[in-house]
Short mmCIF file of all heavy atoms in Angstrom, two decimals:
data_model
loop_
_atom_site.label_atom_id
_atom_site.label_comp_id
_atom_site.label_asym_id
_atom_site.label_seq_id
_atom_site.Cartn_x
_atom_site.Cartn_y
_atom_site.Cartn_z
N MET A 644 14.84 -26.06 13.66
CA MET A 644 13.83 -25.11 14.00
C MET A 644 13.42 -24.25 12.81
O MET A 644 14.30 -23.73 12.15
CB MET A 644 14.31 -24.20 15.13
CG MET A 644 13.60 -24.37 16.41
SD MET A 644 14.01 -23.02 17.50
CE MET A 644 14.69 -23.86 18.82
N ALA A 645 12.17 -24.12 12.59
CA ALA A 645 11.69 -23.33 11.46
C ALA A 645 11.18 -22.00 11.98
O ALA A 645 10.57 -21.91 13.03
CB ALA A 645 10.59 -24.03 10.71
N ALA A 646 11.53 -20.95 11.25
CA ALA A 646 11.00 -19.64 11.66
C ALA A 646 9.69 -19.36 10.92
O ALA A 646 9.51 -19.70 9.77
CB ALA A 646 12.01 -18.53 11.30
N VAL A 647 8.72 -18.74 11.65
CA VAL A 647 7.45 -18.43 11.09
C VAL A 647 7.22 -16.93 11.23
O VAL A 647 7.54 -16.34 12.28
CB VAL A 647 6.31 -19.16 11.83
CG1 VAL A 647 4.94 -18.74 11.36
CG2 VAL A 647 6.51 -20.66 11.76
N MET A 648 6.77 -16.29 10.12
CA MET A 648 6.54 -14.85 10.16
C MET A 648 5.02 -14.66 10.36
O MET A 648 4.18 -15.15 9.54
CB MET A 648 7.01 -14.27 8.87
CG MET A 648 6.85 -12.72 8.89
SD MET A 648 7.68 -11.96 7.47
CE MET A 648 6.48 -12.26 6.18
N ASN A 649 4.66 -13.83 11.36
CA ASN A 649 3.25 -13.50 11.63
C ASN A 649 3.03 -12.07 11.32
O ASN A 649 3.52 -11.21 11.99
CB ASN A 649 2.86 -13.80 13.09
CG ASN A 649 3.02 -15.26 13.45
OD1 ASN A 649 2.56 -16.12 12.62
ND2 ASN A 649 3.60 -15.59 14.55
N VAL A 650 2.25 -11.76 10.31
CA VAL A 650 1.94 -10.36 9.93
C VAL A 650 1.04 -9.79 11.00
O VAL A 650 -0.03 -10.32 11.30
CB VAL A 650 1.27 -10.30 8.55
CG1 VAL A 650 0.93 -8.85 8.22
CG2 VAL A 650 2.20 -10.86 7.49
N GLU A 651 1.49 -8.63 11.56
CA GLU A 651 0.67 -7.98 12.62
C GLU A 651 -0.05 -6.73 12.15
O GLU A 651 -1.13 -6.40 12.62
CB GLU A 651 1.65 -7.56 13.77
CG GLU A 651 2.29 -8.76 14.41
CD GLU A 651 3.35 -8.32 15.46
OE1 GLU A 651 3.68 -7.12 15.55
OE2 GLU A 651 3.83 -9.20 16.18
N LYS A 652 0.54 -6.06 11.18
CA LYS A 652 -0.09 -4.82 10.71
C LYS A 652 0.26 -4.65 9.19
O LYS A 652 1.38 -4.93 8.78
CB LYS A 652 0.49 -3.64 11.51
CG LYS A 652 -0.15 -2.32 11.12
CD LYS A 652 0.42 -1.17 11.99
CE LYS A 652 -0.27 0.11 11.54
NZ LYS A 652 0.22 1.22 12.36
N ARG A 653 -0.68 -4.15 8.48
CA ARG A 653 -0.53 -3.87 7.03
C ARG A 653 -1.10 -2.50 6.69
O ARG A 653 -2.12 -2.11 7.19
CB ARG A 653 -1.28 -4.90 6.23
CG ARG A 653 -0.45 -5.79 5.43
CD ARG A 653 -1.31 -6.61 4.56
NE ARG A 653 -0.52 -7.82 4.22
CZ ARG A 653 -0.99 -8.86 3.65
NH1 ARG A 653 -2.25 -8.96 3.31
NH2 ARG A 653 -0.20 -9.88 3.40
N THR A 654 -0.39 -1.82 5.78
CA THR A 654 -0.94 -0.55 5.26
C THR A 654 -0.88 -0.59 3.73
O THR A 654 0.02 -1.27 3.12
CB THR A 654 -0.20 0.68 5.74
OG1 THR A 654 1.20 0.54 5.39
CG2 THR A 654 -0.24 0.83 7.25
N LEU A 655 -1.80 0.05 3.10
CA LEU A 655 -1.85 0.14 1.64
C LEU A 655 -1.61 1.60 1.27
O LEU A 655 -2.28 2.52 1.77
CB LEU A 655 -3.22 -0.30 1.10
CG LEU A 655 -3.52 -0.16 -0.39
CD1 LEU A 655 -2.53 -1.01 -1.18
CD2 LEU A 655 -4.93 -0.53 -0.67
N SER A 656 -0.66 1.81 0.35
CA SER A 656 -0.34 3.15 -0.10
C SER A 656 -0.59 3.25 -1.64
O SER A 656 -0.19 2.40 -2.36
CB SER A 656 1.17 3.47 0.18
OG SER A 656 1.47 4.78 -0.23
N ILE A 657 -1.28 4.32 -1.97
CA ILE A 657 -1.61 4.53 -3.36
C ILE A 657 -0.90 5.84 -3.81
O ILE A 657 -1.10 6.88 -3.21
CB ILE A 657 -3.12 4.71 -3.55
CG1 ILE A 657 -3.84 3.45 -3.07
CG2 ILE A 657 -3.44 4.93 -5.05
CD1 ILE A 657 -5.32 3.62 -2.94
N SER A 658 -0.08 5.71 -4.91
CA SER A 658 0.59 6.90 -5.45
C SER A 658 -0.22 7.45 -6.62
O SER A 658 -0.57 6.70 -7.57
CB SER A 658 2.01 6.54 -5.94
OG SER A 658 2.78 6.16 -4.84
N ILE A 659 -0.49 8.75 -6.60
CA ILE A 659 -1.27 9.38 -7.64
C ILE A 659 -0.36 10.47 -8.32
O ILE A 659 0.23 11.26 -7.63
CB ILE A 659 -2.53 10.06 -7.06
CG1 ILE A 659 -3.38 9.02 -6.31
CG2 ILE A 659 -3.35 10.79 -8.13
CD1 ILE A 659 -4.00 7.95 -7.20
N ALA A 660 -0.36 10.47 -9.66
CA ALA A 660 0.40 11.43 -10.39
C ALA A 660 -0.15 12.81 -10.11
O ALA A 660 -1.35 13.05 -10.09
CB ALA A 660 0.40 11.16 -11.88
N ARG A 661 0.75 13.81 -9.91
CA ARG A 661 0.33 15.20 -9.68
C ARG A 661 0.93 16.14 -10.75
O ARG A 661 0.77 17.36 -10.58
CB ARG A 661 0.78 15.65 -8.31
CG ARG A 661 -0.05 15.01 -7.20
CD ARG A 661 -1.42 15.53 -7.30
NE ARG A 661 -2.21 15.09 -6.11
CZ ARG A 661 -3.51 14.96 -6.17
NH1 ARG A 661 -4.20 15.24 -7.27
NH2 ARG A 661 -4.14 14.55 -5.15
N GLY A 662 1.67 15.65 -11.66
CA GLY A 662 2.24 16.52 -12.68
C GLY A 662 3.75 16.49 -12.61
O GLY A 662 4.36 15.45 -12.33
N GLN A 663 4.37 17.63 -12.96
CA GLN A 663 5.84 17.75 -12.99
C GLN A 663 6.26 18.94 -12.20
O GLN A 663 5.57 19.97 -12.11
CB GLN A 663 6.31 17.84 -14.42
CG GLN A 663 5.99 16.63 -15.31
CD GLN A 663 6.48 16.81 -16.74
OE1 GLN A 663 6.72 17.92 -17.16
NE2 GLN A 663 6.55 15.67 -17.44
N ASP A 664 7.54 18.87 -11.67
CA ASP A 664 8.13 20.02 -11.01
C ASP A 664 8.81 20.91 -12.02
O ASP A 664 8.75 20.70 -13.21
CB ASP A 664 9.06 19.56 -9.88
CG ASP A 664 10.26 18.82 -10.38
OD1 ASP A 664 10.52 18.75 -11.60
OD2 ASP A 664 11.00 18.22 -9.55
N ALA A 665 9.52 21.92 -11.56
CA ALA A 665 10.14 22.93 -12.42
C ALA A 665 11.21 22.33 -13.33
O ALA A 665 11.48 22.78 -14.47
CB ALA A 665 10.81 24.01 -11.58
N GLU A 666 11.86 21.19 -12.89
CA GLU A 666 12.88 20.49 -13.70
C GLU A 666 12.30 19.47 -14.59
O GLU A 666 13.01 18.75 -15.35
CB GLU A 666 13.95 19.91 -12.80
CG GLU A 666 14.92 20.90 -12.18
CD GLU A 666 14.56 21.22 -10.78
OE1 GLU A 666 14.06 20.30 -10.07
OE2 GLU A 666 14.73 22.39 -10.33
N GLY A 667 11.00 19.27 -14.57
CA GLY A 667 10.38 18.28 -15.43
C GLY A 667 10.30 16.86 -14.85
O GLY A 667 9.87 15.93 -15.49
N ASN A 668 10.62 16.69 -13.53
CA ASN A 668 10.51 15.42 -12.87
C ASN A 668 9.09 15.16 -12.46
O ASN A 668 8.37 16.08 -12.08
CB ASN A 668 11.44 15.44 -11.62
CG ASN A 668 12.87 15.63 -11.93
OD1 ASN A 668 13.36 15.08 -12.93
ND2 ASN A 668 13.56 16.40 -11.13
N ALA A 669 8.70 13.92 -12.55
CA ALA A 669 7.32 13.54 -12.15
C ALA A 669 7.13 13.75 -10.65
O ALA A 669 8.02 13.46 -9.85
CB ALA A 669 7.07 12.06 -12.48
N VAL A 670 5.94 14.27 -10.27
CA VAL A 670 5.58 14.52 -8.88
C VAL A 670 4.37 13.65 -8.64
O VAL A 670 3.39 13.64 -9.42
CB VAL A 670 5.27 16.00 -8.62
CG1 VAL A 670 4.75 16.20 -7.22
CG2 VAL A 670 6.51 16.87 -8.93
N SER A 671 4.39 12.96 -7.47
CA SER A 671 3.24 12.14 -7.13
C SER A 671 2.91 12.42 -5.66
O SER A 671 3.67 12.92 -4.88
CB SER A 671 3.46 10.69 -7.35
OG SER A 671 4.54 10.23 -6.52
N LYS A 672 1.66 12.09 -5.28
CA LYS A 672 1.17 12.21 -3.95
C LYS A 672 0.76 10.81 -3.40
O LYS A 672 0.11 10.06 -4.20
CB LYS A 672 -0.01 13.14 -3.92
CG LYS A 672 -0.79 13.25 -2.65
CD LYS A 672 -0.25 14.19 -1.67
CE LYS A 672 -1.24 14.29 -0.48
NZ LYS A 672 -0.57 14.61 0.72
N ASN A 673 1.18 10.46 -2.22
CA ASN A 673 0.84 9.16 -1.67
C ASN A 673 -0.33 9.30 -0.69
O ASN A 673 -0.34 10.22 0.18
CB ASN A 673 2.04 8.54 -0.91
CG ASN A 673 3.12 8.13 -1.91
OD1 ASN A 673 2.83 7.73 -3.04
ND2 ASN A 673 4.33 8.19 -1.52
N TYR A 674 -1.29 8.36 -0.74
CA TYR A 674 -2.36 8.29 0.15
C TYR A 674 -2.26 6.90 0.83
O TYR A 674 -2.17 5.90 0.17
CB TYR A 674 -3.72 8.40 -0.55
CG TYR A 674 -3.89 9.77 -1.16
CD1 TYR A 674 -3.44 9.99 -2.49
CD2 TYR A 674 -4.43 10.81 -0.46
CE1 TYR A 674 -3.58 11.25 -3.07
CE2 TYR A 674 -4.57 12.04 -1.06
CZ TYR A 674 -4.15 12.25 -2.32
OH TYR A 674 -4.28 13.47 -2.91
N THR A 675 -2.18 6.91 2.16
CA THR A 675 -1.97 5.68 2.89
C THR A 675 -3.22 5.33 3.72
O THR A 675 -3.80 6.15 4.36
CB THR A 675 -0.79 5.82 3.87
OG1 THR A 675 0.36 6.24 3.13
CG2 THR A 675 -0.48 4.57 4.62
N TYR A 676 -3.55 4.00 3.63
CA TYR A 676 -4.71 3.52 4.34
C TYR A 676 -4.24 2.43 5.32
O TYR A 676 -3.58 1.47 4.95
CB TYR A 676 -5.72 2.88 3.36
CG TYR A 676 -6.23 3.92 2.39
CD1 TYR A 676 -5.57 4.18 1.16
CD2 TYR A 676 -7.32 4.69 2.71
CE1 TYR A 676 -6.00 5.15 0.30
CE2 TYR A 676 -7.79 5.69 1.83
CZ TYR A 676 -7.11 5.91 0.60
OH TYR A 676 -7.56 6.89 -0.23
N SER A 677 -4.59 2.63 6.62
CA SER A 677 -4.14 1.73 7.69
C SER A 677 -5.22 0.68 7.93
O SER A 677 -6.28 0.74 7.38
CB SER A 677 -3.98 2.51 8.98
OG SER A 677 -3.26 3.66 8.78
N ASN A 678 -4.92 -0.16 8.88
CA ASN A 678 -5.82 -1.22 9.36
C ASN A 678 -6.29 -2.15 8.29
O ASN A 678 -7.45 -2.60 8.25
CB ASN A 678 -7.05 -0.62 10.06
CG ASN A 678 -6.62 0.18 11.27
OD1 ASN A 678 -5.73 -0.19 11.97
ND2 ASN A 678 -7.28 1.36 11.48
N VAL A 679 -5.39 -2.47 7.31
CA VAL A 679 -5.67 -3.46 6.29
C VAL A 679 -5.57 -4.85 6.95
O VAL A 679 -4.65 -5.10 7.72
CB VAL A 679 -4.68 -3.31 5.13
CG1 VAL A 679 -4.88 -4.41 4.09
CG2 VAL A 679 -4.78 -1.96 4.47
N LYS A 680 -6.51 -5.72 6.66
CA LYS A 680 -6.49 -7.06 7.25
C LYS A 680 -5.12 -7.75 6.96
O LYS A 680 -4.68 -7.80 5.78
CB LYS A 680 -7.60 -7.90 6.66
CG LYS A 680 -8.95 -7.56 7.14
CD LYS A 680 -9.94 -8.54 6.59
CE LYS A 680 -11.34 -8.28 7.16
NZ LYS A 680 -12.32 -9.24 6.70
N PRO A 681 -4.53 -8.32 7.96
CA PRO A 681 -3.22 -8.97 7.76
C PRO A 681 -3.26 -10.14 6.77
O PRO A 681 -2.30 -10.53 6.20
CB PRO A 681 -2.80 -9.41 9.16
CG PRO A 681 -3.58 -8.54 10.11
CD PRO A 681 -4.82 -8.22 9.39
N ASP A 682 -4.47 -10.82 6.67
CA ASP A 682 -4.56 -11.96 5.81
C ASP A 682 -5.22 -11.62 4.48
O ASP A 682 -5.60 -12.57 3.75
CB ASP A 682 -5.34 -13.05 6.54
CG ASP A 682 -6.70 -12.68 6.95
OD1 ASP A 682 -6.98 -11.47 6.87
OD2 ASP A 682 -7.50 -13.50 7.35
N ALA A 683 -5.33 -10.35 4.12
CA ALA A 683 -5.96 -9.97 2.89
C ALA A 683 -5.12 -10.52 1.69
O ALA A 683 -3.86 -10.48 1.72
CB ALA A 683 -6.11 -8.45 2.73
N GLU A 684 -5.82 -11.05 0.67
CA GLU A 684 -5.14 -11.57 -0.50
C GLU A 684 -4.59 -10.49 -1.38
O GLU A 684 -5.18 -9.44 -1.54
CB GLU A 684 -6.13 -12.43 -1.28
CG GLU A 684 -6.64 -13.63 -0.52
CD GLU A 684 -7.78 -14.31 -1.34
OE1 GLU A 684 -7.90 -14.09 -2.54
OE2 GLU A 684 -8.51 -15.11 -0.71
N PRO A 685 -3.43 -10.71 -2.03
CA PRO A 685 -2.83 -9.68 -2.90
C PRO A 685 -3.76 -9.22 -4.07
O PRO A 685 -3.80 -8.02 -4.31
CB PRO A 685 -1.61 -10.35 -3.49
CG PRO A 685 -1.23 -11.38 -2.49
CD PRO A 685 -2.54 -11.88 -1.91
N ALA A 686 -4.52 -10.09 -4.57
CA ALA A 686 -5.47 -9.71 -5.66
C ALA A 686 -6.53 -8.74 -5.19
O ALA A 686 -6.94 -7.83 -5.85
CB ALA A 686 -6.14 -10.95 -6.31
N LYS A 687 -6.98 -8.99 -3.94
CA LYS A 687 -8.02 -8.13 -3.41
C LYS A 687 -7.41 -6.77 -2.99
O LYS A 687 -8.11 -5.73 -3.17
CB LYS A 687 -8.68 -8.79 -2.14
CG LYS A 687 -9.58 -9.93 -2.52
CD LYS A 687 -10.26 -10.52 -1.32
CE LYS A 687 -11.18 -11.67 -1.76
NZ LYS A 687 -11.91 -12.20 -0.62
N LEU A 688 -6.24 -6.76 -2.54
CA LEU A 688 -5.54 -5.48 -2.21
C LEU A 688 -5.38 -4.66 -3.45
O LEU A 688 -5.58 -3.45 -3.49
CB LEU A 688 -4.15 -5.78 -1.57
CG LEU A 688 -4.18 -6.32 -0.14
CD1 LEU A 688 -2.75 -6.64 0.29
CD2 LEU A 688 -4.75 -5.30 0.79
N ALA A 689 -4.95 -5.30 -4.56
CA ALA A 689 -4.83 -4.61 -5.83
C ALA A 689 -6.17 -4.06 -6.33
O ALA A 689 -6.25 -2.95 -6.78
CB ALA A 689 -4.19 -5.55 -6.88
N ALA A 690 -7.21 -4.84 -6.20
CA ALA A 690 -8.53 -4.35 -6.65
C ALA A 690 -9.02 -3.19 -5.81
O ALA A 690 -9.52 -2.24 -6.40
CB ALA A 690 -9.52 -5.52 -6.53
N VAL A 691 -8.82 -3.26 -4.51
CA VAL A 691 -9.22 -2.11 -3.68
C VAL A 691 -8.38 -0.88 -3.95
O VAL A 691 -8.91 0.21 -4.04
CB VAL A 691 -9.12 -2.51 -2.16
CG1 VAL A 691 -9.26 -1.35 -1.28
CG2 VAL A 691 -10.21 -3.54 -1.81
N GLY A 692 -7.08 -1.06 -4.11
CA GLY A 692 -6.20 0.05 -4.44
C GLY A 692 -6.53 0.71 -5.74
O GLY A 692 -6.61 1.95 -5.87
N THR A 693 -6.89 -0.12 -6.75
CA THR A 693 -7.26 0.45 -8.10
C THR A 693 -8.62 1.15 -7.92
O THR A 693 -8.80 2.22 -8.52
CB THR A 693 -7.36 -0.71 -9.07
OG1 THR A 693 -6.09 -1.35 -9.13
CG2 THR A 693 -7.78 -0.20 -10.45
N ALA A 694 -9.55 0.61 -7.19
CA ALA A 694 -10.86 1.25 -7.02
C ALA A 694 -10.74 2.61 -6.28
O ALA A 694 -11.29 3.57 -6.67
CB ALA A 694 -11.81 0.36 -6.26
N LEU A 695 -9.92 2.61 -5.23
CA LEU A 695 -9.74 3.83 -4.47
C LEU A 695 -8.99 4.87 -5.33
O LEU A 695 -9.33 6.07 -5.35
CB LEU A 695 -8.96 3.63 -3.19
CG LEU A 695 -9.72 2.89 -2.10
CD1 LEU A 695 -8.76 2.50 -0.94
CD2 LEU A 695 -10.85 3.79 -1.56
N GLY A 696 -7.98 4.40 -6.09
CA GLY A 696 -7.23 5.30 -6.96
C GLY A 696 -8.10 5.91 -8.06
O GLY A 696 -7.87 7.02 -8.54
N GLY A 697 -9.12 5.17 -8.48
CA GLY A 697 -10.06 5.65 -9.51
C GLY A 697 -10.91 6.82 -9.07
O GLY A 697 -11.52 7.47 -9.87
N LEU A 698 -10.89 7.12 -7.73
CA LEU A 698 -11.66 8.29 -7.25
C LEU A 698 -10.95 9.57 -7.48
O LEU A 698 -11.55 10.65 -7.34
CB LEU A 698 -11.93 8.09 -5.72
CG LEU A 698 -12.78 6.87 -5.36
CD1 LEU A 698 -12.84 6.70 -3.86
CD2 LEU A 698 -14.17 7.01 -6.00
N PHE A 699 -9.65 9.49 -7.84
CA PHE A 699 -8.89 10.68 -8.07
C PHE A 699 -8.90 11.04 -9.54
O PHE A 699 -9.12 10.19 -10.41
CB PHE A 699 -7.42 10.47 -7.61
CG PHE A 699 -7.29 10.24 -6.11
CD1 PHE A 699 -7.24 8.96 -5.59
CD2 PHE A 699 -7.22 11.28 -5.27
CE1 PHE A 699 -7.11 8.76 -4.25
CE2 PHE A 699 -7.14 11.11 -3.89
CZ PHE A 699 -7.13 9.81 -3.39
N ASP A 700 -8.63 12.31 -9.83
CA ASP A 700 -8.65 12.79 -11.24
C ASP A 700 -7.46 12.29 -12.02
O ASP A 700 -7.54 12.10 -13.19
CB ASP A 700 -8.72 14.32 -11.30
CG ASP A 700 -10.02 14.87 -10.80
OD1 ASP A 700 -11.04 14.14 -10.81
OD2 ASP A 700 -10.05 16.02 -10.30
N ASN A 701 -6.32 12.15 -11.36
CA ASN A 701 -5.08 11.76 -12.05
C ASN A 701 -4.88 10.25 -11.99
O ASN A 701 -5.51 9.54 -11.20
CB ASN A 701 -3.87 12.53 -11.47
CG ASN A 701 -4.03 14.00 -11.61
OD1 ASN A 701 -4.71 14.48 -12.49
ND2 ASN A 701 -3.36 14.75 -10.74
N GLU A 702 -3.89 9.75 -12.72
CA GLU A 702 -3.70 8.33 -12.84
C GLU A 702 -2.87 7.80 -11.61
O GLU A 702 -2.15 8.51 -10.95
CB GLU A 702 -2.90 8.01 -14.10
CG GLU A 702 -1.47 8.45 -14.13
CD GLU A 702 -0.79 8.05 -15.42
OE1 GLU A 702 -0.21 6.93 -15.43
OE2 GLU A 702 -0.80 8.84 -16.31
N ILE A 703 -3.08 6.49 -11.35
CA ILE A 703 -2.31 5.73 -10.32
C ILE A 703 -0.92 5.46 -10.86
O ILE A 703 -0.78 4.97 -11.95
CB ILE A 703 -3.02 4.46 -9.98
CG1 ILE A 703 -4.46 4.72 -9.44
CG2 ILE A 703 -2.17 3.65 -8.96
CD1 ILE A 703 -5.28 3.45 -9.28
N THR A 704 0.09 5.82 -10.08
CA THR A 704 1.46 5.52 -10.51
C THR A 704 2.06 4.35 -9.70
O THR A 704 3.14 3.87 -10.07
CB THR A 704 2.37 6.73 -10.35
OG1 THR A 704 2.35 7.18 -8.98
CG2 THR A 704 1.91 7.88 -11.24
N GLY A 705 1.36 3.87 -8.67
CA GLY A 705 1.85 2.75 -7.93
C GLY A 705 1.00 2.37 -6.73
O GLY A 705 0.32 3.22 -6.17
N LEU A 706 1.05 1.08 -6.40
CA LEU A 706 0.39 0.58 -5.20
C LEU A 706 1.50 -0.14 -4.35
O LEU A 706 2.24 -0.91 -4.92
CB LEU A 706 -0.72 -0.45 -5.57
CG LEU A 706 -1.91 0.07 -6.42
CD1 LEU A 706 -2.79 -1.13 -6.78
CD2 LEU A 706 -2.68 1.07 -5.58
N THR A 707 1.50 0.15 -3.08
CA THR A 707 2.53 -0.44 -2.22
C THR A 707 1.85 -0.96 -0.94
O THR A 707 0.99 -0.27 -0.36
CB THR A 707 3.55 0.64 -1.79
OG1 THR A 707 4.09 1.25 -2.98
CG2 THR A 707 4.69 0.01 -1.00
N VAL A 708 2.27 -2.15 -0.54
CA VAL A 708 1.80 -2.71 0.71
C VAL A 708 3.00 -2.76 1.66
O VAL A 708 4.07 -3.32 1.31
CB VAL A 708 1.20 -4.13 0.53
CG1 VAL A 708 0.82 -4.76 1.84
CG2 VAL A 708 0.00 -4.03 -0.40
N VAL A 709 2.82 -2.25 2.88
CA VAL A 709 3.86 -2.31 3.92
C VAL A 709 3.34 -3.19 5.02
O VAL A 709 2.25 -2.99 5.50
CB VAL A 709 4.25 -0.89 4.39
CG1 VAL A 709 5.26 -0.98 5.51
CG2 VAL A 709 4.69 -0.02 3.24
N GLU A 710 4.18 -4.15 5.40
CA GLU A 710 3.80 -5.08 6.44
C GLU A 710 4.74 -4.97 7.65
O GLU A 710 5.94 -4.77 7.47
CB GLU A 710 3.86 -6.54 5.98
CG GLU A 710 2.90 -6.86 4.90
CD GLU A 710 2.99 -8.33 4.43
OE1 GLU A 710 4.11 -8.90 4.62
OE2 GLU A 710 2.03 -8.81 3.96
N ARG A 711 4.16 -5.10 8.87
CA ARG A 711 4.98 -5.25 10.06
C ARG A 711 4.71 -6.64 10.61
O ARG A 711 3.55 -6.98 10.77
CB ARG A 711 4.68 -4.16 11.08
CG ARG A 711 5.62 -4.25 12.29
CD ARG A 711 5.36 -3.20 13.27
NE ARG A 711 4.08 -3.47 13.90
CZ ARG A 711 3.42 -2.60 14.64
NH1 ARG A 711 3.95 -1.39 14.87
NH2 ARG A 711 2.27 -2.86 15.21
N ALA A 712 5.75 -7.43 10.81
CA ALA A 712 5.54 -8.84 11.18
C ALA A 712 6.54 -9.20 12.26
O ALA A 712 7.57 -8.56 12.46
CB ALA A 712 5.73 -9.72 9.99
N SER A 713 6.16 -10.22 13.03
CA SER A 713 7.07 -10.78 14.00
C SER A 713 7.56 -12.14 13.55
O SER A 713 6.85 -12.81 12.83
CB SER A 713 6.36 -10.88 15.40
OG SER A 713 5.24 -11.77 15.25
N LEU A 714 8.75 -12.47 13.94
CA LEU A 714 9.34 -13.78 13.61
C LEU A 714 9.38 -14.61 14.88
O LEU A 714 9.80 -14.20 15.95
CB LEU A 714 10.78 -13.62 13.08
CG LEU A 714 10.87 -13.04 11.66
CD1 LEU A 714 12.35 -12.82 11.36
CD2 LEU A 714 10.26 -13.98 10.67
N VAL A 715 8.90 -15.88 14.70
CA VAL A 715 8.86 -16.81 15.86
C VAL A 715 9.52 -18.10 15.43
O VAL A 715 9.23 -18.63 14.35
CB VAL A 715 7.34 -17.05 16.28
CG1 VAL A 715 7.29 -18.01 17.44
CG2 VAL A 715 6.69 -15.79 16.59
N ASN A 716 10.37 -18.59 16.29
CA ASN A 716 10.99 -19.89 16.03
C ASN A 716 10.04 -21.00 16.59
O ASN A 716 9.64 -20.92 17.72
CB ASN A 716 12.35 -20.08 16.70
CG ASN A 716 13.39 -19.29 15.98
OD1 ASN A 716 13.39 -19.23 14.79
ND2 ASN A 716 14.29 -18.68 16.70
N GLU A 717 9.81 -21.99 15.77
CA GLU A 717 8.91 -23.10 16.23
C GLU A 717 9.72 -24.40 16.27
O GLU A 717 10.62 -24.63 15.58
CB GLU A 717 7.75 -23.26 15.24
CG GLU A 717 6.79 -22.13 15.39
CD GLU A 717 5.53 -22.37 14.61
OE1 GLU A 717 5.47 -23.26 13.69
OE2 GLU A 717 4.51 -21.70 14.88
#
């Protein structure tokens, strides 16, 4: 039996640099976008994340995709 993973929900999170705290550690702010198409291609997710991140004054420090999926035995 083979297990199949079906992506049910995806979110895209963009981290934007916000400066440094009192100890000199980098501080960032995350912006999360829901309802991302489960079958969206990684290259398109990166392009959209970069475009959205470009709307902020500070630089992008990371793009993260979080998926919720179900496993089904076939």
Side-chain angles (χ1 to χ4, degrees):
M644 246 194 239
V647 176
M648 185 170 78
N649 297 317
V650 176
E651 296 173 352
K652 183 177 179 179
R653 246 187 201 168
T654 59
L655 174 64
S656 180
I657 303 169
S658 296
I659 304 293
R661 288 293 187 205
Q663 297 179 343
D664 64 9
E666 286 100 34
N668 299 318
V670 175
S671 63
K672 169 85 173 151
N673 290 328
Y674 296 90
T675 303
Y676 299 91
S677 314
N678 299 322
V679 175
K680 287 184 176 182
D682 59 348
E684 297 173 17
K687 289 184 179 181
L688 290 172
V691 168
T693 302
L695 288 171
L698 298 174
F699 296 95
D700 292 333
N701 298 337
E702 70 178 271
I703 300 170
T704 58
L706 298 173
T707 306
V708 175
V709 177
E710 296 179 336
R711 186 177 68 192
S713 61
L714 288 173
V715 180
N716 285 323
E717 290 189 342

